[in-house]
Structures are given as C-alpha cells and as structure tokens.
C-alpha cells in the first residue's frame, strides 16, 4: 500500500496521542477515518483538528464511542462505521488504544491489573477478530498493532512493577508475528505490522489514571497517593516517606506533564514513522531512537536486561527519566 488516498482506516484510541496524529496525517493524505475512543469529547477535538483544513469532497471522518476491551462495543463500532462510511470493507486497521497502570500482582487490585491487560491485549485481539472480514473484503489491507518496547523488555525501572502492561505488549508482539504467516496462507493481500514505540509524548499517564479510576479526575485518590508514595520509597527517592499528600499529587502531575512534553519523540513524529513503515510494508516498526537502542541492547545481552546496571546505563544513554 503505497498511498492512503481514497482508503478507509479504522483507528482505536483516536481521541489523543498517536491515535489523534494518525487520524490527522491520514486525513491529510485523503484517507477516510473511523475512530473510536472512550472519550467523546477527545474524539470531537481530533475530528475538529482533521477538519481545520477543508476536507476534500466526499472524505469522511466519523467518531464512535467504544471500549475496546468489550467485544459488543467493537461490533457496534463496526456496524456504525459500515453505515456511516457506506462501506463493507476497510483498508487499514490501527489497533492503537492502550492504557498503563495495574502493574503489580501484589500492590494493585486484580480489577486494575486486568483492566490494563484487557485493553492493551484484548483490544488488539478483539479488534482483529471484529474487523478481519472487512479487511479481507478489500483489494489490499494492512493491520497495524501497537505494542511497545515493553513488548521485548518488561520493565520501566527497578522501583516499579510493570507486569500488566508488559504482559499485554508481549502478547501483542507475539500475536502480530504469528499473524504474518497466517495471513500469507489465508489472506495474502492483507499485511500486518507490530509497532514498538519508545517514550512518545502522549497523555497516557493522565489518561490511564482516569480510565483506571473511572472518576475522570486529574488528581489521585487516597489509595493512589499511598501507592505512589510506596513506589517512590522503593525507588529510593529521598524523603519520599515524609512527603505530604499534596507533595505526592505534585509529583504525579509533574510526571504526567514530563511524559507528554519532554519525550524524545512527539506523537506526530511517531505517527509519521508508523505510516512510512506501512507504506514500506515493514512488519516490525521501532519508533524512536530510544526504542532502536534498547532493542539492540536487549538482543546483545538478554541475560543482563533486568539488572540495575543495564537500566541505569541505558537511561543515562538516552536520557530517560522514568520508573
């Protein structure tokens, strides 16, 4: 697929971050877009940004509220887009939706853990299941599943467990690699790619908190404050046990800001890398110089990948300030 003009793309998690930028860049290339998200307001802003420049006649951008971890939501999304986009086929599927949180089997609840896993892995699996017939019906099509560097390196540092997200992203990576041959055997005109971003400037930190808590607030609740303090103590943050609750709130707010604003790769840059990878039919798309370097390091010394020295030397090399 060398260009996207006249194609129809489905994007999950289209309200913010990479999903929003994928939508904007696809529309700019003349591609119709149907996006879903749990936030109707966020999607409305994405659509507005897509339409800042007057859309070519007949080009369609549609929004659909859906939780990708719930199959009936995705089926409704599919049926709505078929009607609103007036189509029985799609050409591009970007399984992009994801959240963080629920990282520990010990300190997080089962519900928090499974919420992350079911969105980050289940949303990809159910997305492919739901839209595969529409992809197969097209003359050419491409599935793009967003994993992460945590799909080959299950850590964000020594002081914080990261099992839910990392397990999900490993599953996405393995699933997509297995799809390569499955598609070759049964639908050779459909390609697939696994996307593995490093630190991309998105609102995933604050958005994940909103989804996990279901209260829509920017502030941590009492349990989250206590857990954040415990993590900071475990990470060796000086005097973390003496910080006030408001100090902890400020630390969380700064982490969310920094993750969005200080990232080495912007969401717009990430979207371009992904779309260029699709055009080049690359099945493995690393996003960001930090992702490329981490991939090289893990492959070179896999037995040391979870040692403190590995993490500290890598974060110093690429400037990460996570964990």
């Amino acid at each position: 697929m060398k260009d996207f003009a006249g194609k129809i793309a489905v994007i999950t998690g289209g309200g913010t971050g990479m999903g929003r930028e994928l939508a904007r860049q696809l529309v700019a290339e003349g591609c119709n877009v149907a996006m879903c998200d749990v936030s109707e307001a966020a999607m409305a802003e994405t659509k507005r940004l897509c339409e800042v420049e007057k859309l070519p006649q007949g080009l369609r951008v549609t929004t659909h509220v859906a939780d990708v971890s719930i199959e009936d939501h995705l089926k409704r999304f599919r049926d709505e887009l078929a009607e609103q986009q007036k189509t029985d086929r799609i050409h591009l599927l970007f399984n992009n939706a994801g959240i963080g949180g629920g990282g520990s089997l010990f300190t997080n609840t089962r519900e928090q853990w499974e919420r992350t896993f079911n969105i980050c892995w289940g949303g990809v699996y159910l997305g492919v299941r739901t839209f595969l017939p529409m992809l197969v019906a097209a003359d050419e099509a491409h599935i793009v599943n967003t994993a992460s560097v945590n799909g080959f390196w299950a850590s964000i540092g020594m002081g914080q467990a990261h099992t839910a997200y990392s397990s999900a992203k490993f599953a996405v990576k393995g699933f997509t690699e297995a799809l390569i041959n499955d598609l070759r055997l049964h639908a050779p005109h459909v390609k697939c790619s696994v996307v593995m971003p490093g630190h991309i400037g998105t609102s995933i930190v604050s958005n994940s908190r909103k989804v996990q808590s279901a209260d829509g607030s920017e502030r941590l609740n009492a349990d989250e404050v206590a857990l954040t303090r415990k993590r900071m103590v475990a990470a060796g943050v000086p005097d973390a046990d003496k910080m006030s609750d408001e100090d902890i709130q400020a630390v969380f707010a700064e982490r969310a800001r920094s993750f969005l604003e200080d990232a080495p790769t912007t969401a717009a840059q990430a979207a371009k890398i992904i779309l260029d990878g699709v055009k080049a039919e690359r099945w493995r798309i690393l996003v960001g110089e930090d992702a490329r370097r981490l991939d090289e390091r893990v492959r070179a010394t896999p037995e040391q990948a979870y040692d403190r020295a590995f993490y500290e030397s890598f974060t110093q090399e690429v400037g990460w300030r996570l964990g």
Side-chain angles (χ1 to χ4, degrees):
M1 192 179 299
K2 300 306 180 185
D3 66 80
F4 306 127
K7 305 292 195 301
I8 301 173
V10 167
I11 305 171
T12 69
T16 59
M18 291 194 302
R20 171 176 289 175
E21 295 302 328
L22 285 167
R24 294 181 69 183
Q25 292 181 31
L26 285 164
V27 167
E29 293 197 34
C31 185
N32 299 285
V33 168
M35 74 186 85
C36 78
D37 201 285
V38 293
S39 172
E40 189 169 10
M43 284 190 292
E45 175 62 10
T46 298
K47 184 175 181 179
R48 185 192 71 78
L49 290 169
C50 288
E51 295 174 345
V52 167
E53 299 293 336
K54 189 174 181 182
L55 297 181
Q57 186 175 5
L59 197 68
R60 294 178 293 275
V61 179
T62 58
T63 61
H64 311 263
V65 176
D67 180 333
V68 296
S69 68
I70 302 173
E71 188 170 11
D72 284 347
H73 283 204
L74 284 173
K75 288 181 176 178
R76 185 184 68 232
F77 174 26
R78 177 200 61 200
D79 294 344
E80 287 176 358
L81 86 86
E83 179 181 359
Q84 294 178 29
Q85 296 273 352
K86 300 179 176 20
T87 186
D88 62 354
R89 63 200 64 195
I90 63 172
H91 304 89
L92 294 153
L93 171 63
F94 294 89
N95 285 309
N96 165 79
I99 64 167
S104 174
L105 289 172
F106 296 89
T107 59
N108 291 104
T109 65
R110 178 170 180 169
E111 290 73 21
Q112 290 171 326
W113 201 99
E114 292 183 357
R115 183 78 175 124
T116 297
F117 188 83
N118 290 342
I119 289 174
C120 291
W121 155 244
V124 171
Y125 169 69
L126 293 174
V128 172
R129 278 284 189 193
T130 301
F131 291 102
L132 190 59
M134 297 185 80
L135 291 158
V136 172
D139 55 351
E140 61 175 346
H142 205 117
I143 299 166
V144 184
N145 295 331
T146 299
S148 164
V149 292
N150 290 129
F152 59 79
W153 185 66
S155 176
I156 54 169
M158 309 304 294
Q160 184 171 337
H162 204 48
T163 59
Y165 187 86
S166 294
S167 299
K169 296 305 187 178
F170 264 79
V172 170
K173 179 176 179 288
F175 174 62
T176 310
E177 291 191 22
L179 269 179
I180 294 170
N181 203 49
D182 204 356
L183 291 170
R184 284 174 180 168
L185 291 170
H186 301 105
H189 63 296
V190 181
K191 312 300 181 186
C192 66
S193 299
V194 59
V195 174
M196 291 174 286
H199 180 185
I200 310 301
T202 72
S203 300
I204 190 172
V205 173
S206 57
N207 287 345
S208 297
R209 193 266 150 202
K210 293 177 183 178
V211 172
Q212 289 283 6
S213 64
D215 63 10
S217 173
E218 299 283 352
R219 291 175 59 82
L220 302 174
N221 60 38
D223 289 341
E224 291 167 333
V225 167
L227 183 56
T228 300
R229 181 182 287 109
K230 185 174 181 180
R231 286 172 176 165
M232 292 170 64
V233 170
V237 176
D239 296 324
D241 57 334
K242 300 175 184 177
M243 286 185 176
S244 69
D245 288 358
E246 282 304 312
D247 289 338
I248 299 296
Q249 295 280 5
V251 168
F252 175 79
E254 171 56 22
R255 179 170 179 253
R257 184 211 64 77
S258 179
F259 195 94
L260 171 63
E261 298 178 10
D262 300 336
T265 306
T266 67
Q269 291 168 333
K272 185 178 188 309
I273 291 168
I274 293 166
L275 295 178
D276 286 347
V278 171
K279 289 177 181 177
E281 292 192 357
R282 295 202 307 272
W283 70 263
R284 189 172 189 271
I285 304 173
L286 292 167
V287 182
E289 180 64 14
D290 54 344
R292 187 189 65 78
R293 292 186 189 182
L294 184 58
D295 179 56
E296 290 177 350
R297 278 178 168 246
V298 172
R299 288 173 178 274
T301 58
E303 293 293 333
Q304 285 77 53
Y306 300 107
D307 295 345
R308 182 175 293 276
F310 179 99
Y311 176 74
E312 290 178 349
S313 65
F314 177 71
T315 54
Q316 184 176 13
E317 177 186 342
V318 302
W320 271 14
R321 291 178 291 173
L322 307 179

